[in-house]
Amino acid sequence: MKVAPKAIGTVAKLARPTRAAKDGDRFRHLLRGLKEAARRAKMSDLRWHDLRRTHGCRLLQEQKWSLEMVRDQLGHQSVVQTERAYAFLEVETRREAADRTRARTIVQSEKEPLPAQKAHK
């Protein structure tokens, strides 16, 4: 599930800390708080892992962190684990770069005639 940046901010604002009766209840209170915040933000099927995944993506894409830094931040045991989790980002980045190159090539070819066209003129 892809979570919109605005929605994450909304969920964070709507999530209220709760006081747990026992330490074991803490997770249930957090989960209940997340689900309630997601409901109020009109989001469905939001999980804590979605927020963690979005955090890792933003560190790599927007903050330009290295895989090693993200590994440490997310608590992965090895950088291989981090690479596997976020390998799709590299594919998307390469695809976007190829699309930009293709678009520049098309625009440039429309401006300049091909060598064979120059010879016939």
Side-chain angles (χ1 to χ4, degrees):
M1 179 180 124
K2 190 170 186 176
V3 179
K6 185 178 179 183
I8 290 174
T10 303
V11 170
K13 288 177 189 172
L14 295 174
R16 294 186 187 112
T18 59
R19 200 170 55 198
K22 301 176 202 161
D23 279 349
D25 291 337
R26 190 167 296 160
F27 176 75
R28 282 189 293 269
H29 284 285
L30 289 172
L31 183 60
R32 189 173 34 219
L34 177 69
K35 294 219 179 272
E36 177 60 21
R39 184 191 65 75
R40 285 184 281 161
K42 296 180 175 63
M43 297 175 63
S44 62
D45 196 28
L46 179 67
R47 300 168 300 153
W48 284 112
H49 188 77
D50 298 329
L51 300 178
R52 176 184 168 87
R53 185 74 171 226
T54 299
H55 177 62
C57 290
R58 287 185 176 177
L59 292 175
L60 288 166
Q61 289 181 311
E62 296 172 11
Q63 303 300 319
K64 307 296 185 207
W65 281 27
S66 68
L67 285 170
E68 290 80 10
M69 292 168 64
V70 174
R71 174 203 60 204
D72 295 342
Q73 177 73 15
L74 298 178
H76 291 161
Q77 289 187 354
S78 73
V79 75
V80 173
Q81 183 180 1
T82 308
E83 286 174 339
R84 271 192 241 127
Y86 296 98
F88 70 95
L89 293 175
E90 188 170 328
V91 172
E92 287 178 10
T93 302
R94 287 184 183 185
R95 187 176 299 129
E96 289 169 3
D99 289 344
R100 285 192 304 273
T101 302
R102 198 174 306 117
R104 278 196 306 263
T105 303
I106 291 169
V107 169
Q108 189 173 11
S109 67
E110 290 172 353
K111 291 179 181 177
E112 298 176 10
L114 297 172
Q117 292 172 338
K118 288 180 185 178
H120 291 294
K121 288 187 178 182

